[in-house]
Structures are given as structure tokens and as C-alpha cells.
Amino acid sequence: MAGVLNFGYIANLALGAYFYGVLTLGPSSGNGGFQTYIIGLHLPAALAIIVTALVGCAFGGLVGMIGVKRLRPDYQAIVLLVVAIVALTLVEADAGIFNGNAGLSLLPNPVGGTGPTSPNGWLYVAIVFAVCVVGYLILRRFSDGPLGRSLRAVRDDDRAALAIGKNVVGLRILVQVVGGGFAALSGALLAAFIGAWSPSGWQFAETLSLLTAIIVGGVASNPGVVAGALLVPVIFEQATQYVPGLSSRPQLAGDVGWMVTAVLTIVFIWWRPRGILPDRRPRYGPGARRWSRFSMAPLGLASAAADMRADGPVGDPGPARDPAVATELAGPALTVHVRDAPVTSGAAARAPLLAASGLAVHYGGVAALDAVSLEVTAGTVTGLIGPNGAGKSTFVNAVSGFTRPEAGRVKFNGTDITGLSPHRRARLGLVRTFQLSRQFGRLTAIENLLVARARHPAESAAGIVAGLPYWRRAEEENVARARALMATFEMSDKADEPAANLSGGERRMLELMRALMTDPMMLILDEPLAGLSPRWSGRFEDAVGLLRQQGLTFLLIEHELGIVERLCETVIVMARGQVLTTGTMSELRTQREVQAAYVVG
Amino acid sequence: MSSDKGADRPAGPALQCDRVVAGYGDAPVVREVSLTAAPGRVLCVVGPNGAGKSTLLRALLGLVRVRQGTVTLGGKDVTNKPLEELARSGIGYVPQGEDVFDTLRVTENLDMGGFILSRAERQARMDAVLDIFPALRRLTRRYAGTLSGGERKMVALARVLMSDPDVLLLDEPTAGLAAELTRMVLEEQVRLLAGLGKAVLLVEQKAEAALSVADDAAVLVNGQIALTGTGAEVLANEDVGEIFLGGAGRGKGWMQSMWAGSAGSAGTDGTVHSTGIA
Amino acid sequence: MSIFVSAIGFGIASGAVIALASLGFTLQFGLSNTLNIGYGGFITLAAFTGYGLIQLGLGPWPTMAAVAVITGLLSVLYYQFFIRRLILRSVGLGPIAIATAAALIFIDYAIVAVAGTDVKSYGLTSGRTFHLWDFVLSSTQVAIIVLALALMLAFQLLLRLTQLGRALRATAVNKTLARSCGIRAERVTSLAWLISGLLCGTAGVALAMTTQAFDFNLGSTFLILIIAAAVVGGIGEPYGAVAGGFLIGITTELSAAYWSPAYSDVVAFLLLIVILLIRPTGILGGQARRRHVAT
């Protein structure tokens, strides 16, 4: 039963755990079916159970809406807990429908009879088992594949997920809806099995035993949770066998069982926080059996990428590129799907792609941005330099939507995006990287790329319903493209490595690749070279140069001015929250003012 | 009491680090750095962003593990000692950014600075410190979190002076301050600390202003000392501006040393960037 | 009118206990950044230890003092050997919270194993009742209100006026900076757990005295109110915990008086949710004020 309770990945461990743990307290969930009993609608039990699950979905969604949208993450867990307790208390207090504290009894069983001793008991167990199997399969729709990958990405780093265009709030609410539904379903099944239900049946301890099952089995791992769910009650039973003097104090067995459960939880958190069957990530790298249709060799990339483009999978393929661009060095792997790519020659191309006007941000009385206005021309690499504390990172945050400016407007590609959330900006093609590179640590390197694919069909409603056949092709293209990118950056050997294990340089490259996977129109790179070795920064530089030739626009924040000089046509200097001057690097270098800003600060 | 303390040690101990290697992850950020902060002098460490200045400071303070080399205070080995014990042996520290207790009043901040003193000593010391920073007298009841940038910095410096430390480590004390305030903090406050006989180790991004108040200076590039000298010498070195801007001339040589850093050898005359993809 | 006033009176009585307990809870959060769900277990433990001592013939007030000291010491051990180690293992805040929930269950069922599930009572005679204007309170309630107020005042004085108290506040707001002043932050944190244990022990016995009858669920039920009070006030804020405690206490009693006792907790939680939606950091939560962001 508890296997069904797990919907896999907990976007936020505390939040998720509390939430569905508490939801299984049951009354709010389990009673959708029993209301009918009391009111006398006398719905067939199977129907009642389905209704219950839907009610659970709605409840989960509602709570998700209130709790997840509005509140700081560390308060979300508390609020979810509180909401569940309010529901429990309401049920306890309401004698009319839920029969209050006394609970409900003589609940009908879908196979007739009531209670565990009824003759059809075993049949019911079989039905429950079947429901579990079906539920498990449904859950895999959410927890495996591209959708599960996105949810895990949100769990690992919500800001990075926003930056690649994931609707973090939406995904979290989805988790609540699904989790609520399954929790309600299992509550209903359990109540129907026992044949009676009272609010006192599910308390802290019962919630904990669910958590224990999850922790022991392996957080975010479906098989792990099933294993945990099977093991924990067994341990519970075993522990109680060795308690002496049971005959005189039969009560003692249960108590010791609970104590053992508690100790077990602590032991696992202490020594093996990922459980006995940890979340295993699928392999996509060289040597992986799945998705092996596409060659990994850089030479083979051309055909794979060509296939990909011929199919026109993502967005508009954009106007034909200058064939000279696709140098033999880079190969088509570095081809980006620049949407509505501006023509790189002619007057039209000189229009600003990004225009910020009068942006102002204050931190505690200090002006981090003091009415900053600047423009980035389409198809160029624009440098943004300035001493520490000049406001460069604040500017990036304000433009990408991570900081709300107090004044000013941001226009991107002709659209006013001032009020848009970060993920919407990313979907419009304005994608940023972070100064301290962020990655989805528990996903593999290549999954970090795969997850960035914009509008993956597997994340649509149709994709969830139709399953693998619906999105297999898109995923194959996705995998091919990610492999090609990794091969181009000579990181194929790291493809199946968890991102958390990568070195600093590899993480930087991963972040750039991930940004490229979103089909951006413009990339904002916030100090991409910080901490990179010369080898990596050389590759990085070449990559930026090639991508620019293909029409991608860059705003490059960088301290390493040699690279700024080589890459950027235009360089903007910021100091003390203001734009100091603009020009080419060689012009700026001679300006005393700029030197002064740098050295004097 | 504090004046006795000064009399006992007219010279005061120096803080020395000898071939210190330190860093967070697999690659050390600070490599083989040797420096001496002498009593009564301001030693200024400058360098571009990411050169490892803050990491060096945190390594000296036991906040980042020193993997090789030694840190000594007046000849005594204090390598990797916990911060609170260093504080008790006379090292004062003003971090960058969160340098005051925001939810404590100004006087309470000073009380914390003098935590290791007795009550009577603390009272006397507070008067002495408020004499050094008379502007703080009218702010004593304010919560430090409500102060302006310059006032905060004064509170931070006054706080660290409370314990009358022999050695002061200042991590970019002018970060986020406007030009006039920067000059005030460096020329008046930092010089004043050295004038009190303390060894001051100043880490600064604003090289020019910092070097002009420094007795000794070191330029840190890519975790290593690239140049040392007196403050005036380093300041007079025409290349410093270009080093920071990564320009031509001698600065280019420095650039190369930055590049070559992790490879361990001198760069191959700036061709690093042309390493091909694929 | 008199219903209103007497409800306020009861609210102050229960609010005083909630405030006391949530002060200890919020202190743990402030110093160790840990949501210690095991706190509920300590409340239960305090109530049952008190029960044991009263059975042994100790008077109620000496019992309270003894339990406070015992709980304080246990709380320090709990921090040193459990919470601190978990923090050092950097397992993350969520898993630590779950581990403390496991600790709660462990303590609760250990108590059941020793004392059984049946309802206990200190069996104190309610003594004479005080009538002040329309307030009607038992002498125990009055004594508890006075005691709680005195303890909270003492705690505030400690925080404000003593060097140790300032060190506590300093460590809570910036541990590294505190250490750079020579404050032994680890000891100060242990001290905070000692104080929170004292408050917890006192609150546990006071709760058992005022609720008349209780079982092993006492702490886990009460914990919800404690967390609500701490969060309403702004978690980590001592004044906030006190204000939140009284607010929750009075709201609960008012809704019990005017609506139905069964719904009283619901009203308290609705209040919590409303306050959080309006002010996500709680009434006195000043995260924004104290954060000085460097660009």
C-alpha cells in the first residue's frame, strides 16, 4: 500500500514527506467514499474510491496552490502540516457527516462483507494488489522519463530550473495533485479493508512509519519505496517478537515496534540517507543500451544532428545559416535553433534584442542598480565589465527575472518582459547562467542537458496520458542532441556521472550546454570563466564565437578582460550601480576613467 | 589594562604565513603563499577578482583548511586553530559584508567585540574606542542593522578594536562604499589601526586606494604572489593598472601566469585561447 | 461580555504556557537552524517525569523545578549527541527534521512502554479560585501565568542585559562573526539548548497541571500549537514566540467560547495561515530588515 503512496521524487523532501504523510491521516482523503455511506447515496465502493482519489487530487492541488505559490520554502512544510491538521480537526469535530471522534464503521467492502475477517478478505487483498500494480504503473508516468527528470531538477535546484524555463510552481503543484490523489486512494482502500475508520487511527507515529518506509527504501526511488514498505512492517513484527514478558504486557509489543521504527529512521538518516535502493538514474551515455540508435562519435554527429533538423522538432528552425559557419571544427553539433533568428547583416539586425531602461534596485539603502539603461544588439557578443560590487550580477538578476526591479522596464525582442517570471523569460529565449554554476546534482550530466529541452511533449497532458510512444521520437532527438553536445565539448565520458561529482570546469561547461539545449535567442553568461582552467576557457571562447556566428546573442559578464576583448564587439562598463561608459575594449583600456573605476573601485 | 598590554609588548607579534596552500575543493585556491604582517604596518594584498584573496584570509583564520605550510602568530604555530581561539590569542577579523551583528545595538556590538575582557576592562575599552570613533557616540542606541554603510564599517572596526588585538585582518572593508567613504575608511581608519601599533592585513579589490595607504603590498594572481614591495613601489609600478585590465606589455606576462596557473608552467605566449574545439 | 472576558482569561492562561514552550522552541531554531519536532517528546517527557515525582510525594512546584532541570540537561545531551552530530554530517534540514520526528515517536513510545497508554492526572486540588473583574481563574492558573511571565521576563533580561545573553543573540545572528569575537559558539549553543530545555520542562509540567488529564499524546498534540505560535511570531524571534503564544492561546479560547471547543485549534491554524499569507515571515519576523545584501 505504501508503495502507492510514493509518487517518486519529492520536490522538496520535507514538504513532500509531510504532505502525503499527513494526507494519509486519512479522514480528509478516506472519507470521500464514506460520506456517501452516511448520507446514504450508497455509491458502489469502486466508484467511491475513484471519487476519493479525485477529491484527494483536488485537495492536493488546492493546498499546493496556497502553500507552494505564496510561501517561502521553509514555511511550506509547516503550512502543509497545519492544513492537514485543520482538516483532521474539522473532521473530528463534525459529527454530522464524519461522525466525529468516533469515526465510521461498517464500511462497505467492494467485494462484499465488511472487515478483514470477511470471507472475501483474500479477494480484496488481491484487488488491492492489482490496484497497487496499476497505481505503480501510473506513477511511473510521472516519476520516470522526462517529466520525472524535470521534477527531480526542480527538487535539486529550483533557481536553475527556472533559468531553463521550467515552470517550478506548476510542477510543484502537479506533485501535490498526484500525491494527494494517491494518498487519498490508499486511504480509501485501507479504510475499506479494515471496514472502520476513525481519526485517531492515524497519528504522528503512523506518519512516521510511512516516512521510515520511504527513507529506508530510498528516497525518490519507486522500487526502493516498495521495498521499504514491505520491509518496515516485517522489521516491526520481528522487533516485537524479542520483547520479553509479552504475555503480561501485550501492549508493550507495539510500543517497542514503534521505538524500533523510530530508531531505524534515525539510523538510516545517519548512515545511509539515500536508502537501500537509491534512485538509480538511467544511462544515456556511451555504452548505454537504451537510446543507442545514435552514434556517439563526433564524426557521426553530423548525420544525427541533420536528422534532427530535418525533422524540425523544436520551435522554428530559423532561416538558413551561412554554410561557412558550420566549420569542420565544430560540426553541426554546435548548431543552435535560434528562434526568429535576426538577420545578422543589414540595418534591421542592429535593432536591440534586449533593452533595459531605468532599472533600479536597492539593497538596504545602497543602490545596487541606479537607473541603469543599456541595450544589447541582436547577433553580437556584448561585454559587461566592472569592478566588484558594480551591480553586474544584480543587473543580470533583474533582467532575467530573479530580482524584481523597483523601477524601469526590460524589453526583449520587442516584448515588454518586466513583470514576467524567470521561466517565462527563458521560454521566450532569454536564458542565463549563474556566477556560481548551478546544476541538478543528483541527475547525471547528460540528464542535466536533457531536462533543458523546451516544451518536451512528455511534459504535456497528452504526453502523460499517451506515454512513451507519444514522446519517444522527441526524446530520441533530445538524447542525440545532448550526446552531440557532450561529444563536442569532449565530455562524453562524463555523461552518466552525477552532476554533483563533476569538477568546477565541467560544471561550467555543463551549464553552458544546458543553456544551449533550451534553444535560446540570447544567453546571459554571468562570469562563465571564473575558476576555469585555460583548456576549458579556450573551448568556451571558441564555442561562444561559433554560436555568435550562428546568430545567437550574448551578454557576457566577465572579469577576464582578455577574453572580453577577443569576443566582444561592444563592452559596457558598470561601476557603483551605474553604466559608466560603452565602447570597444581597446578604446576602454586607454580611458583613464575606466582604469580608475577598476583600480580605485 | 589594555594600555598595560601594549606596554608589555612594545613591538607586538607579527602574523606570518609560510608557503600556505589552502582551498575548498580538489584544486587549491591559494598556493604557496608566504606573507608577513608586521606590527605597526599595513600589509595590503590586492589582486583581481577570484585571485584567492578572501580564501587566503579565511585560511589564516582557520575557516578554510590549510593543507600545507604554517601560520604563526608571534612565532607560535596557529595553523588551523579554531577561529574563537585565534580571536583569544589576539587576532581581530572584519569580514566582508556581514561585519556587524545586525540585531544588536551598537553598544552591544562593542560588548561582543570585548567578549573576552572583564566587565571593567570592557567599560574602559568602550570609552577608549568611542574616543577613536567619536561619530559613534550618537549612534550607541541604534541597532546595527539600521545603520548606513559607512556607519556599519565604523561599528565593525570599533568592535574589532574592543579586544585590542595585535593583528587585524580586514576583508575588503570598503566593499560597497562610495569613493569618499572608501578614502575615509582607508586613509583615516585603517592607517589609524596601524598607528596604534597593530599589524594590519588588508585585502582589497580597490587596489589604488588601498596601495596608497599600505606600507607593504603583495599582488595576488591566481592564488600566488605575483609581486611584492612597499605600497608605494607597487603603486608606482605602471603595469598594475594593466594587470587588472589584462592589457599588453608586462601585464601580459602576468596574464600568462594566470592562464598557466593550473597547468603549472608558464603560458605559451597567449595562444591558450585558440585551443580548438573538438 | 463576561464570556468574552473569561475567555480572554483562559486564553492568557493557556497562552502563557504556549508562549513559554514556543520560546524554547524558537530558541533552538534560532541557534541551530533546526526544526526540532522532538520538542514535543520533551514536553511529554516533562509531564510524565512530573507525574512520577508527584507520585513519589514531591510537591507540585518543587516537581516543576526538578523537571525543568532534568529536561534542560537532557536537552543539552540531545543537542550534543544527536542534533549537532546530524548537522555535522550535513544530511540537510529536511532529514534532520524527520530524524527529530523519529525522536518524538521514540520518546513517546518509550514513555508508553514504561507508563502505559492510560490517562494520567496530577490530581491537584484546584484550590481557591480568583475572581478579578470577570476573570475567573484557579490559583494554579494564576500561579502559572505569573511564573511564565516571570520566566519570560528573566529570559529577556538575560538576553538583553547579560554578556552571555548578548553572546547568544550574537551567535544566532552571525556565528562566524561571533566566533571571531572569541565567543565559543558551540558552548553558547549548548547553553541555548539548556535554556530551551528548562523552558520546555517548565511548560510541560505547567501544561500537565492545567490540562488535568493527559496521556502520551500530550506533547505531540501541543507541539502543533507551539509551532503555530513560533511561526506566527516569526520563527527564531523570541518576542515573536511570546506574542504568538498569547495570540494563539487567546484565539483558541475565544473560539472555544463563542463557537465550539472542537474548532478552537482550527481557528488558531486559520489565523496562522492568514498571517503567513499576509506576512510570510511572521508578525515580528524581520529577515528582510536584518539582511544586508552585498552586491
Side-chain angles (χ1 to χ4, degrees), chain A residues 74-235:
Chain A
D74 40 338
Y75 276 13
Q76 287 173 5
I78 295 171
V79 167
L80 293 173
L81 176 69
V82 162
V83 166
I85 290 165
V86 169
L88 179 66
T89 318
L90 274 175
V91 168
E92 272 189 51
D94 191 311
I97 299 173
F98 301 113
N99 205 15
N101 254 326
L104 308 163
S105 53
L106 296 174
L107 301 170
N109 188 304
V111 289
T114 52
T117 51
S118 76
N120 293 328
W122 282 110
L123 178 59
Y124 184 67
V125 169
I127 290 174
V128 168
F129 184 75
V131 171
C132 280
V133 170
V134 172
Y136 186 81
L137 293 176
I138 294 175
L139 273 175
R140 286 188 39 166
R141 282 283 157 87
F142 292 94
S143 65
D144 292 357
L147 180 58
R149 196 163 60 207
S150 289
L151 292 166
R152 286 176 167 89
V154 169
R155 171 201 65 190
D156 279 359
D157 193 320
D158 53 353
R159 281 169 70 89
L162 275 174
I164 56 167
K166 295 292 163 200
N167 183 353
V168 168
V169 170
L171 288 173
R172 287 217 165 117
I173 291 176
L174 174 69
V175 167
Q176 303 293 359
V177 169
V178 174
F182 274 95
L185 176 67
S186 57
L189 288 175
L190 186 62
F193 178 60
I194 299 170
W197 194 258
S198 76
S200 64
W202 284 85
Q203 298 274 351
F204 267 110
E206 287 78 2
T207 308
L208 182 80
S209 74
L210 284 177
L211 290 177
T212 309
I214 292 163
I215 287 166
V216 169
V219 173
S221 150
N222 282 334
V225 170
V226 172
L230 296 176
L231 271 178
V232 168
V234 173
I235 295 168

Side-chain angles (χ1 to χ4, degrees), chain A residues 471-492:
Chain A
W471 47 261
R472 175 188 279 278
R473 183 145 191 83
E475 179 71 356
E476 279 171 353
E477 286 150 1
N478 199 18
V479 170
R481 186 149 170 231
R483 283 180 177 172
L485 261 178
M486 298 215 82
T488 308
F489 286 90
E490 292 175 18
M491 276 180 60
S492 294

